[in-house]
Amino acid sequence: MSENSLEIFSRAACMLAEADTIQKAKELKNLAITAADWARRKGMGEEAIQHCRSYALEAERRMGEMLLETERARPAVGSKVIGNERIPMKDDRPTLAELGLTKRESAEAQLLAGLNQSAFDDVKTGKKTKTQVRREKNRMAVNAKIPNLPSGKFRVFYADPPWKYGDQLTENYGATKWHYPPMSIADLCAMPIKDLAEGDAVLFLWVTSPLLAECWPVIRAWGFEYKTSFVWDKIKHNMGHYNSVRHELLLVCTRGSCLPEIPKLFDSVQSIERKAHSEKPEEFRAIIETLYPSGSKLELFARRKSKGWAVYGNQC
């Protein structure tokens, strides 16, 4: 790299150190991105291009630091009582639009600001992408909250695993990664569910159509055999590669002999409009409890505690 180029980058570093507003830091980030494109077109070499990219990330991180400082400095929004009246407090917090940022820009800048120097250096050098470090950070945070599996033996299992999708379209659509850390088939198979099951037990397992073929090893590893299925007709449509997907499957699997205690034949297709992301209708729990009123019950990857059920999951 030429001496002139070094002077430019040295001056740029000084400008970043002096940037005292989010808007200035964003402007410097955009200039660095433009400089990287220009350096590429001029054939200046990978070193010059990498310097520009590093500078853009430094500016973005500075944006994130100032966003976090702004967040901490914001007054609490609420109300206060004056006399006999409750008066709303003025909310003078700047919006992202007023700061000239999108939600994505804000989230990514704050992500960089929250990284330690080693992780940030990995991003700067291209060793890892921002998406990779975000996933690692989310996974570590969520895994720290996951309790151990409960002890004892269970007759009825109800599971909604965090299946890992391999394609970016499906993964980004619906923002699965923001809701739970996905688990690989190997990780799911390694769970000692077989040790928790009674000799005669039943498993109700949620799976989506794209992963139908991948769930069989999990069922076998947990000690069960597939018997039949329910279809949840969500009514509302979802994006898919080959069709507009509006259903999900609840597989019924057994270990030993575990036919329903109550021989009531529910319709295999349940049409219930979907609500929150990945949340399953309580009607299916009611079906399970009707068919199997007795015996210890365990819900895996549960969102909340339910009466009569032991639970395992990071959202409980």
Side-chain angles (χ1 to χ4, degrees), residues 151-271:
S151 58
K153 294 285 186 177
F154 298 89
R155 182 171 183 245
V156 181
F157 294 80
Y158 183 34
D160 185 14
W163 301 105
K164 184 175 183 179
Y165 290 86
D167 63 296
Q168 290 301 310
L169 172 76
T170 308
E171 187 170 353
N172 288 333
Y173 183 75
T176 300
K177 62 193 173 188
W178 297 113
H179 295 271
Y180 47 69
M183 293 178 66
S184 67
I185 298 300
D187 289 338
L188 289 168
C189 287
M191 295 181 68
I193 304 304
K194 188 175 183 178
D195 298 336
L196 298 178
E198 294 181 1
D200 297 326
V202 62
L203 165 68
F204 291 84
L205 178 72
W206 283 108
V207 65
T208 58
S209 289
L211 293 174
L212 184 57
E214 297 186 43
C215 74
W216 308 122
V218 177
I219 293 171
R220 289 192 292 270
W222 289 2
F224 292 85
E225 293 182 4
Y226 168 74
K227 295 299 180 181
T228 188
S229 66
F230 284 92
V231 177
W232 172 27
D233 172 13
K234 302 181 181 182
I235 301 176
K236 291 181 178 179
H237 291 265
N238 286 315
M239 182 184 296
H241 287 294
Y242 303 99
N243 54 18
S244 181
V245 184
R246 56 177 278 181
H247 73 282
E248 199 161 336
L249 301 170
L250 180 61
L251 308 186
V252 183
C253 313
T254 61
R255 178 181 184 180
S257 177
C258 202
L259 290 170
E261 297 170 57
I262 307 300
K264 180 176 180 179
L265 295 179
F266 287 93
D267 193 330
S268 63
V269 179
Q270 298 287 319
S271 297

Side-chain angles (χ1 to χ4, degrees), residues 16-296:
L16 181 57
E18 294 171 0
D20 56 359
T21 67
I22 293 169
Q23 290 82 354
K24 287 182 181 178
K26 181 183 178 181
E27 182 179 351
L28 292 174
K29 171 197 166 186
N30 292 338
L31 285 172
I33 292 173
T34 301
D37 290 338
W38 180 83
R40 187 183 303 106
R41 290 197 302 270
K42 293 294 183 180
M44 294 181 64
E46 189 58 36
E47 185 180 2
I49 295 171
Q50 184 57 42
H51 270 280
C52 292
R53 289 174 179 165
S54 297
Y55 180 69
L57 288 168
E58 290 280 5
E60 187 174 10
R61 191 185 197 192
R62 180 65 186 126
M63 282 170 52
E65 291 170 348
M66 286 189 280
L67 281 166
L68 291 174
E69 290 168 3
T70 301
E71 186 69 29
R72 286 191 290 267
R74 288 177 174 179
V77 178
S79 60
K80 59 183 177 180
V81 177
I82 301 179
N84 294 324
E85 284 190 81
R86 181 170 290 278
I87 309 298
M89 295 174 63
K90 182 181 178 181
D91 184 0
D92 59 357
R93 298 176 294 182
T95 64
L96 290 178
E98 290 170 340
L99 293 171
L101 298 174
T102 65
K103 288 183 179 180
R104 183 184 180 89
E105 286 175 325
S106 173
E108 294 200 347
Q110 292 185 62
L111 167 71
L112 293 178
L115 297 179
N116 59 39
Q117 191 59 47
S118 176
F120 181 63
D121 287 342
D122 285 344
V123 177
K124 281 179 62 177
T125 58
K127 185 177 179 181
K128 294 180 181 177
T129 65
K130 285 187 284 187
T131 299
Q132 287 174 323
V133 296
R134 182 195 298 114
R135 288 174 181 168
E136 289 176 3
K137 189 175 181 181
N138 288 346
R139 189 177 296 112
M140 289 175 63
V142 175
N143 287 343
K145 301 177 183 178
I146 296 178
N148 293 324
L149 282 163
S151 58
K153 294 285 186 177
F154 298 89
R155 182 171 183 245
V156 181
F157 294 80
Y158 183 34
D160 185 14
W163 301 105
K164 184 175 183 179
Y165 290 86
D167 63 296
Q168 290 301 310
L169 172 76
T170 308
E171 187 170 353
N172 288 333
Y173 183 75
T176 300
K177 62 193 173 188
W178 297 113
H179 295 271
Y180 47 69
M183 293 178 66
S184 67
I185 298 300
D187 289 338
L188 289 168
C189 287
M191 295 181 68
I193 304 304
K194 188 175 183 178
D195 298 336
L196 298 178
E198 294 181 1
D200 297 326
V202 62
L203 165 68
F204 291 84
L205 178 72
W206 283 108
V207 65
T208 58
S209 289
L211 293 174
L212 184 57
E214 297 186 43
C215 74
W216 308 122
V218 177
I219 293 171
R220 289 192 292 270
W222 289 2
F224 292 85
E225 293 182 4
Y226 168 74
K227 295 299 180 181
T228 188
S229 66
F230 284 92
V231 177
W232 172 27
D233 172 13
K234 302 181 181 182
I235 301 176
K236 291 181 178 179
H237 291 265
N238 286 315
M239 182 184 296
H241 287 294
Y242 303 99
N243 54 18
S244 181
V245 184
R246 56 177 278 181
H247 73 282
E248 199 161 336
L249 301 170
L250 180 61
L251 308 186
V252 183
C253 313
T254 61
R255 178 181 184 180
S257 177
C258 202
L259 290 170
E261 297 170 57
I262 307 300
K264 180 176 180 179
L265 295 179
F266 287 93
D267 193 330
S268 63
V269 179
Q270 298 287 319
S271 297
I272 307 165
E273 188 168 338
R274 65 180 174 87
K275 297 179 181 178
H277 175 88
S278 190
E279 184 175 347
K280 304 306 185 289
E282 281 298 306
E283 285 87 343
F284 286 99
R285 186 192 305 277
I287 290 174
I288 296 171
E289 291 176 340
T290 299
L291 296 175
Y292 296 91
S294 65
S296 298

